[in-house]
Amino acid sequence: MSESLVVCDVAEDLVEKLRKFRFRKETNNAAIIMKIDKDKRLVVLDEELEGISPDELKDELPERQPRFIVYSYKYQHDDGRVSYPLCFIFSPVGCKPEQQMMYAGSKNKLVQTAELTKVFEIRNTEDLTEEWLREKLGFFH
């Protein structure tokens, strides 16, 4: 493989948006969907969604384009407590190898920038369901 791994920077306005999102006070599910601007080699905002379930979020994702998602999820624990974990979901589906490498190479920088610990990858957008997310979060008691 002659191409080196391309790591994209995170757009300044997106860094600020992620910081604010991290400390949001709302109690609904919300998502920030990001993509890579190949020409600028920057991770940029694709869209922001409020009050969206994992199943609705799945429908917002393009079928053959990778996306990074930071998702604030209202998680009801078995003992009745409620928490709002921030999840980083990476969906590297169905794109060219060059684009896949850009996303894979930029994922860790974005996770560090957003200061996230719950990092999940889905290979198929159909896998993004409430059940899948709850199962993944079950490991973080």
Side-chain angles (χ1 to χ4, degrees):
M1 184 95 41
S2 61
E3 286 185 63
S4 62
L5 196 59
V6 177
V7 178
C8 300
D9 278 323
V10 182
E12 285 295 314
D13 58 337
L14 182 56
V15 171
E16 182 60 22
K17 191 171 286 298
L18 287 167
R19 192 186 65 72
K20 283 184 178 154
F21 191 70
R22 181 180 186 82
F23 297 108
R24 68 195 282 276
K25 301 283 184 249
E26 291 80 4
T27 57
N28 61 342
N29 293 344
I32 291 181
I33 301 176
M34 298 155 284
K35 62 183 179 183
I36 288 181
D37 181 326
K38 216 165 62 181
D39 300 328
K40 293 180 183 167
R41 294 189 173 199
L42 267 183
V43 178
V44 297
L45 178 68
D46 186 22
E47 59 182 318
E48 280 182 276
L49 303 163
E50 288 281 337
I52 186 162
S53 73
D55 293 299
E56 292 165 329
L57 180 58
K58 165 177 62 187
D59 296 336
E60 292 295 322
L61 299 175
E63 224 170 88
R64 294 213 175 5
Q65 290 293 315
R67 288 294 181 267
F68 298 121
I69 305 148
V70 175
Y71 188 50
S72 176
Y73 176 67
K74 183 176 182 177
Y75 183 68
Q76 183 92 35
H77 296 266
D78 294 336
D79 62 6
R81 290 176 302 121
V82 175
S83 62
Y84 300 91
L86 275 184
C87 309
F88 181 87
I89 303 168
F90 174 44
S91 167
V93 288
C95 59
K96 295 183 213 114
E98 175 197 348
Q99 195 177 20
Q100 213 158 4
M101 285 195 319
M102 276 181 116
Y103 274 83
S106 303
K107 180 181 103 176
N108 288 343
K109 183 176 179 79
L110 185 55
V111 167
Q112 288 170 342
T113 300
E115 299 176 39
L116 298 168
T117 54
K118 295 167 182 66
V119 179
F120 311 125
E121 187 170 308
I122 52 172
R123 286 286 168 197
N124 180 342
T125 52
E126 291 304 305
D127 294 342
L128 182 54
T129 62
E130 186 110 24
E131 188 182 338
W132 174 85
L133 187 58
R134 290 191 60 81
E135 185 182 305
K136 291 291 188 188
L137 289 169
F139 296 110
F140 292 94
H141 286 300

